[in-house]
Amino acid sequence: MSEKKVHTSQIVQIAPTLHAGDRVLLSGIIFTARDAAHKRIFSLLDNGKSLPFPLAGSCIYYAGPTPTPQGMAIGSCGPTTSSRMDIFVPRLMDLGMTCMIGKGQRSQPVVDAIQRNGGVYLCAVGGAGALAAKSVRSLEVIAFEDLGCESVKRLEIEDFPLLVAIDCHGGNLFER
């Protein structure tokens, strides 16, 4: 197991080099999206409309940050349970999404999509939303503002500590 500094602009190239158990310090641009946002993203896809962010090489963080306190870039932003998004993942990965960040196990169709598309699933520490917030440099709501904490946000992060939970080679920490 190793620790790697990874930039999201290189995630497509880097994901195949990552292995379950590797520690990652992730920097760059990620997008938050939870259940309600995923449903709306699928509605846009189903209706041939543009998405609020490009899927190609994207990294989605399953989080719903709390309101931003004065003087900070973001409120607490810990991961939510990833399995609730499993129904959406295979299609999103087949359309270009490369990386997901969350917590907990994933279904076999998600594992298959990660392997098929050379992607990666990274886990953040649950219950440590205040710690995760320290890695966020900026936040911008880019879609579905009416969803409040579940709106899609564009985050710029620096050295966000994560663990590779499922890699594209069949490595899966949840099966060890």
Side-chain angles (χ1 to χ4, degrees):
M1 289 187 258
S2 64
E3 181 171 86
K4 298 181 180 185
K5 283 189 167 257
V6 175
H7 197 278
T8 57
S9 65
Q10 298 295 315
I11 197 69
V12 171
Q13 295 82 15
I14 299 294
T17 72
L18 298 174
H19 297 278
D22 286 348
R23 292 179 310 225
V24 171
L25 293 174
L26 189 65
S27 297
I29 303 301
I30 61 175
F31 302 94
T32 65
R34 287 179 46 165
D35 317 50
H38 274 76
K39 288 176 185 172
R40 289 199 187 172
I41 287 168
F42 261 52
S43 178
L44 292 172
L45 287 170
D46 291 344
N47 290 297
K49 297 190 177 178
S50 296
L51 298 183
F53 60 91
L55 279 178
S58 65
C59 184
I60 296 181
Y61 181 28
Y62 304 135
T66 63
T68 304
Q70 188 171 356
M72 295 186 68
I74 196 169
S76 181
C77 66
T80 195
T81 303
S82 301
S83 61
R84 294 197 321 263
M85 274 54 73
D86 282 4
I87 192 168
F88 304 106
V89 170
R91 182 177 180 191
L92 294 176
M93 290 202 81
D94 290 344
L95 291 171
M97 182 178 73
T98 302
C99 175
M100 299 153 289
I101 302 168
K103 68 178 181 183
Q105 296 187 85
R106 307 308 297 268
S107 66
Q108 191 59 50
V110 171
V111 172
D112 294 343
I114 290 169
Q115 291 178 351
R116 181 173 63 248
N117 292 288
V120 65
Y121 171 52
L122 305 171
C123 280
V125 177
L131 175 64
K134 291 181 180 185
S135 295
V136 178
R137 300 294 168 246
S138 68
L139 173 152
E140 175 188 4
V141 175
I142 61 169
F144 319 133
E145 189 170 2
D146 62 303
L147 294 178
C149 74
E150 288 202 42
S151 63
V152 175
K153 296 168 184 67
R154 178 186 182 275
L155 303 181
E156 181 180 352
I157 58 169
E158 184 177 339
D159 292 338
F160 187 9
L162 301 162
L163 184 67
V164 176
I166 302 173
D167 65 40
C168 63
H169 310 287
N172 186 335
L173 289 183
F174 300 105
E175 293 181 351
R176 289 188 179 173

